[in-house]
Each structure stands twice: as C-alpha cells, then as structure tokens.
Amino acid sequence: QVRCVLVWLPPLSVAMRTCFAVVVAALAASAELALVPLRDSLAVCTDGSQAGYYWKSGAKKSKLWIVYLEGGGWCWDKDSCNERCGTHAKPNNSTMCSSNAFLKTRPLSGIFSPVQDRNLARAHKIFVPYCTSDGHMGNATAMGRHFRGAAVIQSVLRAAANRGLGAAPGDQLLFGGTSAGGRGAMVHLDYVREMLGSAGRNVEVLGVLDSPLWIDIKPFSKTFVGFDNITSSVHSYIQNPHLDQLCLAQNRGFEWHCMFGQYRMPFLRTPYIVYASQYDAYQLGNNVGH
C-alpha cells in the first residue's frame, strides 16, 4: 500500500496535485539514467576529478523537469575529510569524494519512477550524484581539497538549459534533494532561476526538500561536536555563494545560520514542499548518541 503526504501549494498546477514519490518508500519501479560528465573546469569532486550528472529524457511534449541532488553527509575538518575521502597519499576513491567509480548508469526509483503519477513519469530527469563533500553548497578549495558543490549545480543547470529547459514559456522544474541534497537544494532554491540565465524567465520552480531541517540544539552526547559547530566550520571555508542577503543581515556574526535549516527555511521565497521527520534518526542518533 502506497502512503503519501500532499501539501497544497496554490502557485503551481502540476506539482501541487502530485503525491511526491520522494516521501514514499513503497515504489519498486525504477528508471535508468545515464551518466553525463560535466565539462566546466570548476565542476569537480572533492579529489579534483570531473563531476557529472545522470540524465533521462522525458516525453517529447513534457514541460516538467526534475533536478534532484543526492544526499550523503559532509566533512568539516581535516580528520573528518580524511575519514570520508582517505588521505592525499592514500585516497579511497569513494563516490562521495570522486567520480572515478561513478557507474555509467543509475537505476533510480521514487520520484524518478512513480507508479501512480503520469506527469512525473513523463518528466525530463536529472540526478546529481554527490561527490563534493560540502552539502552541494561550496565553491572553494581548502585543506588541499575541492569543495565545488555550487559550481557543480551551476554547471548542471546550464546543461539543463542547453537541453531545452526554459526554451519556451510554461516549463516547471522540481528542484530538490534528500539529506545533504535537501540542504543544498534549500540553499540554492531561490537562486535557481538566476542560475538558469535567460532561460530562467520561462521556468516555474518548486522546491522538493527532503530532510533539510536541522534543529540547533546542544547534543547530549559528549562524543559529538554538534551540528552548529560542524556547520560553522564548513561555512568558514567553502565560500557558499547563496546565503541570502536578508538572512545574512539578520544573522550578523552567525552567518553559518544561513546554511542551517532552522534559520534558513523562514527566508525561502520560492514555493516548496518539505519532508521532515519528527523523529529524525540522523539528528537524534548524533545528538543523543544512540
């Protein structure tokens, strides 16, 4: 049995009727997307290898597009980045840090292959694998590594425009992600039309944000440094270009707040649907310690 949550968003037509498959675990069908390397010199993974995206063309007359960002945590200092990616002398070639082991194709289910929504099934589909270790947010180098998530998203959106997104009025884009991908989508959401260039004027954007809502509480666990300290550390070196001027103005001295769900979500202007569990296993696991 398929269960879903529907949120009514009056500004959108197709999307507001959709039971978003991103929150549904019972959809077994999958779509096969093919890897496309990016050519932008800044669109690179943490190890400097070229990033890419997975693509599947939709129905010929479809005006609906999906761009969805993969999740997978991040790193925030030398030790955590070494644990995630391996050392410079001995990299682990994890797909979280490198494109060297990217599969040529990815079978994707959920929002990419819904069994009960014809509009989503016919959409043009882009999946952005996560290899930048920065929540898809950065555009900098630090600790001898690349943190170019924002540059990757910019390059992906440019590629989508080259494939026809925004070529004519009436296109709709579901822009979202899960976990780290949800947090990255949150940060970029209000900038998507700008990132699309001239094509953006023809595109209506809706956010699909799965689990971006970190809550700022001090951890009970003595072994966890806290989501606040982690986010502040990442903010200090990734040079996030999309922090929202109003958010920054209201959080002077705490600019990292504008990368943090509890503080950033109230500033979003683009319509969105958000999925956040009251019993978030990741946050509870770290803050409580079990």
Side-chain angles (χ1 to χ4, degrees):
Q1 181 181 3
V2 175
R3 301 176 61 223
C4 64
V5 177
L6 178 63
V7 174
W8 188 261
L9 294 171
L12 290 139
S13 54
V14 173
M16 70 185 181
R17 297 194 305 268
T18 301
C19 170
F20 284 101
V22 69
V23 303
V24 179
L27 302 183
S30 64
E32 195 85 6
L33 278 66
L35 178 64
V36 180
L38 292 167
R39 297 181 178 180
D40 188 332
S41 61
L42 290 180
V44 297
C45 301
T46 310
D47 70 344
S49 59
Q50 202 67 43
Y53 65 95
Y54 289 90
W55 161 254
K56 182 178 176 63
S57 181
K60 186 175 181 180
K61 294 184 178 181
S62 177
K63 305 289 286 181
L64 184 62
W65 293 67
I66 300 169
V67 173
Y68 204 79
L69 316 184
E70 185 176 29
W74 58 8
C75 62
W76 55 90
D77 59 17
K78 181 179 179 180
D79 288 343
S80 62
C81 288
N82 284 346
E83 181 178 353
R84 180 183 181 88
C85 303
T87 64
H88 295 296
K90 192 175 181 180
N92 60 21
N93 286 322
S94 164
T95 55
M96 294 191 296
C97 306
S98 174
S99 64
N100 291 334
F102 277 3
L103 300 174
K104 297 300 182 184
T105 61
R106 287 279 295 267
L108 298 168
S109 57
I111 195 171
F112 288 97
S113 188
V115 296
Q116 293 186 333
D117 192 289
R118 184 171 179 267
N119 289 313
L120 283 178
R122 291 165 54 86
H124 305 284
K125 303 172 179 68
I126 290 175
F127 178 74
V128 184
Y130 178 36
C131 67
T132 55
S133 306
D134 59 355
H136 300 273
M137 298 181 195
N139 194 10
T141 58
M143 299 174 286
R145 302 183 189 274
H146 297 267
F147 300 94
R148 300 287 186 182
V152 171
I153 300 306
Q154 174 67 80
S155 187
V156 167
L157 290 174
R158 188 181 299 119
N162 289 339
R163 289 186 179 275
L165 175 60
D171 281 351
Q172 292 182 316
L173 170 62
L174 305 185
F175 181 80
T178 297
S179 189
R183 291 185 285 114
M186 171 192 72
V187 163
H188 297 305
L189 184 59
D190 287 337
Y191 297 85
V192 168
R193 294 182 69 191
E194 176 186 330
M195 295 169 82
L196 285 168
S198 59
R201 70 171 67 100
N202 293 325
V203 179
E204 186 176 28
V205 179
L206 170 70
V208 184
L209 309 178
D210 183 358
S211 307
L213 195 54
W214 279 6
I215 304 300
D216 187 11
I217 60 174
K218 294 300 180 183
F220 293 96
S221 171
K222 295 181 179 180
T223 61
F224 180 56
V225 298
F227 290 110
D228 55 346
N229 291 321
I230 287 173
T231 306
S232 176
S233 177
V234 174
H235 168 266
S236 72
Y237 63 80
I238 66 168
Q239 298 182 26
N240 187 329
H242 293 154
L243 292 179
D244 188 89
Q245 291 305 308
L246 184 58
C247 180
L248 289 172
Q250 295 191 23
N251 288 277
R252 288 191 177 94
F254 298 91
E255 287 79 7
W256 62 268
H257 280 187
C258 300
M259 292 168 45
F260 200 97
Q262 175 181 335
Y263 304 112
R264 181 60 181 272
M265 294 287 289
F267 291 94
L268 293 184
R269 300 177 296 278
T270 304
Y272 62 85
I273 183 171
V274 62
Y275 177 62
S277 174
Q278 184 175 1
Y279 301 100
D280 186 307
Y282 181 73
Q283 292 190 68
L284 286 174
N286 281 285
N287 281 326
V288 178
H290 60 81

